[in-house]
């Protein structure tokens, strides 16, 4: 038995189940049955922590495992595969699977070169998965452990955002993080620090420990703040704050604005974006992929990039390249009215140790549009589509973060939502050529800080494609710049008057909460939006105080008129807006 095998066996012996395993090229495959889903997650994470393990494919089943649902999905894919395997849509150098921040970033970066690229997204729009449901924080890189790909790409990706924002015309602010150290920070260890020693450690020693960790990761500009310095920056934070660590490189963006900007620029530079195009299998010769089979036909190709988020493991399985399992991790966020925006100026967290084993802790963040967001949580869920938010989850977030600003007006919450992260059991980014399929690149396990790392992930993925043999010659027509949709809310009176004179639709305000005009909605439609939610993500219509109560019908009427489809057929996202299924109902 090898050293790796003995380590895996030792961990599995701790569980009262007959779990077997095999190891192939440092990938551990697990088989058997356990009682609880939580045990399925725990076993996978423990195996994934073993040094030398490159991936964990967890085929263990828990009581209540939805076998029928998986079989139904498999049968559906097989039928679509057989139906469409002969319909050739075109030939491409690179096919990118997944239209989130990572897929669109890679598409845009590849469009610098004179090659033919297609991006395939099964949803009706880009940025419909984790890329639309996170807090928009550009993490500085303090949290990722050393010797991880996460740490390396987080630091570089963060530094690349200024140029991205300038070229692509999306909003980006380096607001900085302020991490509060309070009497609760080390309360679990207080018994080892008697009397005044506890306060001394919190105020004068622990801040340096945090600063040193950040400096060791390569994060610059970290400062330790004491007393009045803290309250000068954030007057409303809890008065029992003993010290704080300030990290200036933290930024904020609107995550779907970034994704849309990347997609628009990639498209402008020649990338084909195919929405509602679901991958159902692959055409292969020996150990190479020759074509990607979808519900619309076959995309013949030389290389495939798997950036399918929570479905990356299933796509890899279809390609014969399964090297990991995604275990979905839900995060709940609460959104507050813009009136609360003046209460915080930085991304605020209260450091509490021991910290959550798979989360950076969350906190209170300003958004790029002036709201305040609380969260996220980090909860393992069996369902990759579980974006439900329960009352107790809202109460948990309100209780967990209320110590940061005790007098925050919590009654000003206007919305809550959840996103699902896509971690693997090794808990690091997996960006590497597949071990058993020679032209298939994994870009998987992209959980936080994936948004912050996205520019560097794209760059890194292209280095890998080059190493795999992709020939890249510069595209002389590449234009790095993209113009955003002009917004009425940000125009001067003079500019708005001029636009109204040219086009009266600029004066027809459809969303009064966010001051969105009919002209902006039409421009979003002209750029490819054809659902209500796609309009929201491009214009913010429906994202204000009333959350669309007054403008939804008006937007639907504009969509109906501009697209030439009956009002009853207008889509919210994937389903019909009127008389369609609501969340939790079958379509």
């Amino acid at each position: 038995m090898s050293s790796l095998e003995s380590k895996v066996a030792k961990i599995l012996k701790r569980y009262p189940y007959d779990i077997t395993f095999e190891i192939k090229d440092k990938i551990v495959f697990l088989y058997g049955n356990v009682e609880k889903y939580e045990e399925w997650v725990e076993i996978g994470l423990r195996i994934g922590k073993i040094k030398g393990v490159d991936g964990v494919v967890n085929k263990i089943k828990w009581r209540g495992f939805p076998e029928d649902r998986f079989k139904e999905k498999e049968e559906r894919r097989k039928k679509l595969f057989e139906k469409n395997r002969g319909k050739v849509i075109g030939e491409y150098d690179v096919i990118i699977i997944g239209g989130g921040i990572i897929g669109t970033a890679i598409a845009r970066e590849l469009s610098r070169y004179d090659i033919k690229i297609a991006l395939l997204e099964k949803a009706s729009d880009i940025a419909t998965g984790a890329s639309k449901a996170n807090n928009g924080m550009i993490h500085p890189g303090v949290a990722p452990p050393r010797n991880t790909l996460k740490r390396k790409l987080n630091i570089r990706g963060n530094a690349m955002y200024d140029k991205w924002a300038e070229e692509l015309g999306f909003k980006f602010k380096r607001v900085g993080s302020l991490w509060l150290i309070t009497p609760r920070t080390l309360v679990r260890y207080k018994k080892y620090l008697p009397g005044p020693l506890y306060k001394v450690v919190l105020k004068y020693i622990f801040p340096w420990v945090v600063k040193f960790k950040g400096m060791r990761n390569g994060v610059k500009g970290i400062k330790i703040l004491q007393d009045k310095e803290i309250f000068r920056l954030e007057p409303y934070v809890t008065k029992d704050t003993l010290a704080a660590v300030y990290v200036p490189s933290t930024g904020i963006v609107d995550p779907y604005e970034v994704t849309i900007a990347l997609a628009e620029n990639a498209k402008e530079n020649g990338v084909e974006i195919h929405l509602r195009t679901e991958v159902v299998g692959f055409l292969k010769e020996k150990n190479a992929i020759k074509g990607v089979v979808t519900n619309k036909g076959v995309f013949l190709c030389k290389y495939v990039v798997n950036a399918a988020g929570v479905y990356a493991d299933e796509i890899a399985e279809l390609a014969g390249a399964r090297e990991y399992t995604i275990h979905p991790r839900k995060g709940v966020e609460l959104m507050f009215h813009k009136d609360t925006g003046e209460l915080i100026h930085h991304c605020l967290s209260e450091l509490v140790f021991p910290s959550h084993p798979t989360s950076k802790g969350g906190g209170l963040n300003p958004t790029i549009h002036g709201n305040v967001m609380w969260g996220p949580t980090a909860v393992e869920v069996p369902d990759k589509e579980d974006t439900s938010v329960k009352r107790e989850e809202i109460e948990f977030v309100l209780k967990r973060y209320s110590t940061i600003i005790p007098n925050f007006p919590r009654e000003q919450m206007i919305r809550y939502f959840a996103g699902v992260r896509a971690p693997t059991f090794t808990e690091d980014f997996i960006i590497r050529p597949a071990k058993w399929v020679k032209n298939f690149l994994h870009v998987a396990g992209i959980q936080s800080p994936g948004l912050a790392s996205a520019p560097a992930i794209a760059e890194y993925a292209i280095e890998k494609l080059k190493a795999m043999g992709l020939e890249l010659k510069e595209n002389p027509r590449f234009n790095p710049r993209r113009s955003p949709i002009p917004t009425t809310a940000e125009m001067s009176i003079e500019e708005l008057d001029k636009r109204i004179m040219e086009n009266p639709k600029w004066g027809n305000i459809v969303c009064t909460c966010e001051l969105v005009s009919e002209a902006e909605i039409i421009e979003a439609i002209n750029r490819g939006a054809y659902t209500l939610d796609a309009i929201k993500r491009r214009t913010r219509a429906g994202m204000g105080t009333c959350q669309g109560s007054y403008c939804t019908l008006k937007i639907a009427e504009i969509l109906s008129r501009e697209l030439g489809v009956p009002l009853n057929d207008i889509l919210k996202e994937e389903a019909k807006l009127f008389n369609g299924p609501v969340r939790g109902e079958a379509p």
Side-chain angles (χ1 to χ4, degrees):
M1 183 177 283
S2 70
S3 170
L4 193 53
E5 286 173 327
S6 63
K7 288 176 182 174
V8 173
K10 187 176 177 182
I11 288 174
L12 295 180
K13 275 184 183 176
R14 299 175 191 172
Y15 296 88
Y17 306 111
D18 183 19
I19 300 172
T20 60
F21 71 92
E22 60 181 334
I23 300 175
K24 181 182 177 184
D25 296 336
K26 298 184 180 181
I27 306 299
V28 180
F29 292 80
L30 300 170
Y31 307 95
N33 294 279
V34 296
E35 189 67 22
K36 299 175 182 175
Y37 177 76
E38 291 77 9
E39 292 173 307
W40 179 85
V41 175
E42 182 182 295
I43 291 169
L45 286 172
R46 286 191 169 179
I47 301 297
K49 280 184 180 176
I50 298 173
K51 192 173 181 183
V53 169
D54 282 353
V56 179
V57 179
N58 192 344
K59 295 193 176 233
I60 297 171
K61 296 175 183 174
W62 62 91
R63 185 185 287 272
F65 180 81
E67 191 122 32
D68 291 344
R69 185 151 57 88
F70 280 97
K71 283 183 179 174
E72 187 182 326
K73 183 188 280 188
E74 189 178 342
E75 287 303 314
R76 179 180 165 276
R77 280 174 173 163
K78 281 181 181 175
K79 285 180 184 175
L80 288 169
F81 179 85
E82 292 303 325
K83 180 181 176 183
N84 294 291
R85 63 182 301 173
K87 300 177 188 173
V88 175
I89 290 176
E91 294 186 36
Y92 300 84
D93 293 291
V94 181
I95 294 293
I96 300 164
I97 302 171
I101 180 80
I102 302 303
T104 54
I106 294 171
R108 192 252 183 176
E109 194 63 23
L110 274 175
S111 71
R112 295 176 182 275
Y113 304 98
D114 196 11
I115 56 175
K116 193 172 180 184
I117 308 154
L119 183 149
L120 312 182
E121 168 55 54
K122 74 172 185 175
S124 60
D125 193 13
I126 56 168
T128 58
S131 298
K132 75 169 181 181
N134 62 75
N135 64 9
M137 185 174 173
I138 304 304
H139 291 276
V142 175
R146 289 189 78 196
N147 302 319
T148 61
L149 191 54
K150 272 184 187 180
R151 187 207 67 80
K152 175 183 174 182
L153 298 184
N154 186 172
I155 298 289
R156 176 154 176 76
N158 177 298
M160 294 170 74
Y161 256 89
D162 299 275
K163 187 177 181 188
W164 252 24
E166 189 268 326
E167 289 182 344
L168 296 167
F170 63 78
K171 298 179 182 65
F172 171 59
K173 287 183 185 174
R174 288 201 184 276
V175 293
S177 288
L178 201 62
W179 297 338
L180 309 179
I181 297 168
T182 72
R184 294 168 291 281
T185 295
L186 296 173
V187 71
R188 288 274 295 275
Y189 307 101
K190 192 174 181 180
K191 58 186 175 185
Y192 305 113
L193 302 165
L197 183 59
Y198 182 63
K199 190 173 179 180
V200 169
V201 168
L202 288 173
K203 197 171 175 66
Y204 299 107
I205 298 176
F206 190 70
W208 283 98
V209 174
V210 177
K211 180 175 179 177
F212 178 72
K213 183 177 187 300
M215 289 171 62
R216 196 176 60 169
N217 271 4
V219 180
K220 297 177 181 174
I222 301 175
K223 294 180 181 175
I224 294 171
L225 305 182
Q226 304 279 2
D227 304 321
K228 290 181 181 178
E229 289 178 296
I230 301 167
F231 301 108
R232 182 177 59 78
L233 291 181
E234 291 289 355
Y236 301 103
V237 297
T238 178
K239 300 305 177 191
D240 63 359
T241 302
L242 296 166
V245 178
Y246 173 60
V247 189
S249 56
T250 302
I252 53 173
V253 295
D254 178 335
Y256 35 84
E257 185 189 9
V258 179
T259 310
I260 288 164
L262 288 163
E264 287 185 356
N265 187 244
K267 189 175 177 182
E268 183 70 24
N269 286 302
V271 175
E272 292 181 18
I273 295 180
H274 295 260
L275 301 176
R276 291 201 150 186
T277 304
E278 179 186 358
V279 175
V280 295
F282 294 89
L283 300 180
K284 293 176 70 176
E285 280 184 16
K286 295 182 179 177
N287 64 340
I289 290 169
K290 297 297 178 187
V292 181
V293 184
T294 73
N295 59 333
K296 293 184 177 175
V298 179
F299 293 77
L300 299 174
C301 62
K302 296 175 182 172
Y303 294 88
V304 176
V305 177
N306 178 15
V310 291
Y311 293 101
D313 53 349
E314 297 180 35
I315 295 296
E317 177 94 37
L318 292 172
R322 182 75 179 270
E323 299 175 17
Y324 43 82
T325 292
I326 302 292
H327 54 104
R329 184 179 293 145
K330 185 171 75 169
V332 172
E333 301 269 5
L334 311 184
M335 181 76 78
F336 292 83
H337 193 279
K338 286 182 179 178
D339 284 353
T340 63
E342 62 184 17
L343 297 178
I344 75 170
H345 308 288
H346 307 79
C347 295
L348 298 176
S349 288
E350 181 184 25
L351 298 180
V352 177
F353 287 84
S355 57
H356 191 287
T358 56
S359 165
K360 289 181 286 301
L364 276 58
N365 293 342
T367 76
I368 201 74
H369 301 292
N371 302 87
V372 173
M373 203 181 288
W374 288 28
T377 57
V379 179
E380 303 288 342
V381 290
D383 187 350
K384 293 176 176 178
E385 299 289 340
D386 183 0
T387 54
S388 64
V389 179
K390 298 181 178 65
R391 182 187 182 93
E392 54 266 31
E393 292 176 302
I394 295 173
E395 290 172 348
F396 173 83
V397 173
L398 289 174
K399 183 179 179 184
R400 169 69 181 82
Y401 301 114
S402 63
T403 53
I404 296 174
I405 298 182
N407 295 322
F408 192 95
R410 291 180 287 179
E411 69 279 5
Q412 297 227 37
M413 183 173 64
I414 60 172
R415 187 175 179 78
Y416 50 82
F417 62 89
V420 181
R421 308 174 182 90
T424 66
F425 287 113
T426 50
E427 292 288 335
D428 197 4
F429 299 159
I430 294 179
I431 307 173
R432 64 177 184 235
K435 292 174 183 280
W436 311 305
V437 181
K438 69 178 187 181
N439 57 346
F440 187 91
L441 180 68
H442 296 293
V443 186
I446 312 299
Q447 55 169 314
S448 179
L451 178 66
S453 309
I457 288 174
E459 194 179 69
Y460 189 77
I462 287 165
E463 287 175 15
K464 293 295 177 188
L465 285 168
K466 282 182 187 173
M468 290 163 71
L470 176 64
E471 293 182 10
L472 295 174
K473 187 174 70 175
E474 285 194 11
N475 175 6
R477 302 171 300 282
F478 176 74
N479 176 8
R481 300 193 174 278
R482 166 257 182 191
S483 297
I485 298 174
T487 56
T488 308
E490 295 175 353
M491 288 179 191
S492 66
I493 295 294
E494 293 76 17
E495 184 181 357
L496 184 57
D497 277 346
K498 184 180 175 187
R499 284 187 181 268
I500 291 171
M501 292 290 286
E502 295 168 352
N503 178 3
K505 290 185 172 61
W506 282 101
N508 180 21
I509 303 301
V510 176
C511 171
T512 53
C513 296
E514 293 291 319
L515 211 61
V516 180
S517 69
E518 183 180 358
E520 290 162 68
I521 292 169
I522 292 172
E523 176 62 16
I525 294 169
N526 291 339
R527 293 187 183 210
Y530 66 93
T531 70
L532 183 83
D533 286 354
I535 295 291
K536 286 172 66 175
R537 286 189 285 273
R538 285 159 178 80
T539 66
R540 289 191 57 76
M543 289 193 175
T545 307
C546 83
Q547 289 292 294
S549 297
Y550 293 101
C551 62
T552 294
L553 183 57
K554 295 177 187 173
I555 299 168
E557 287 174 336
I558 296 169
L559 275 165
S560 174
R561 184 192 70 211
E562 295 296 318
L563 297 174
V565 299
L567 189 61
N568 284 341
D569 290 340
I570 294 301
L571 302 175
K572 182 179 185 300
E573 186 82 275
E574 303 300 331
K576 288 184 179 180
L577 175 62
F578 305 109
N579 297 321
V582 297
R583 184 178 292 175
E585 287 184 347

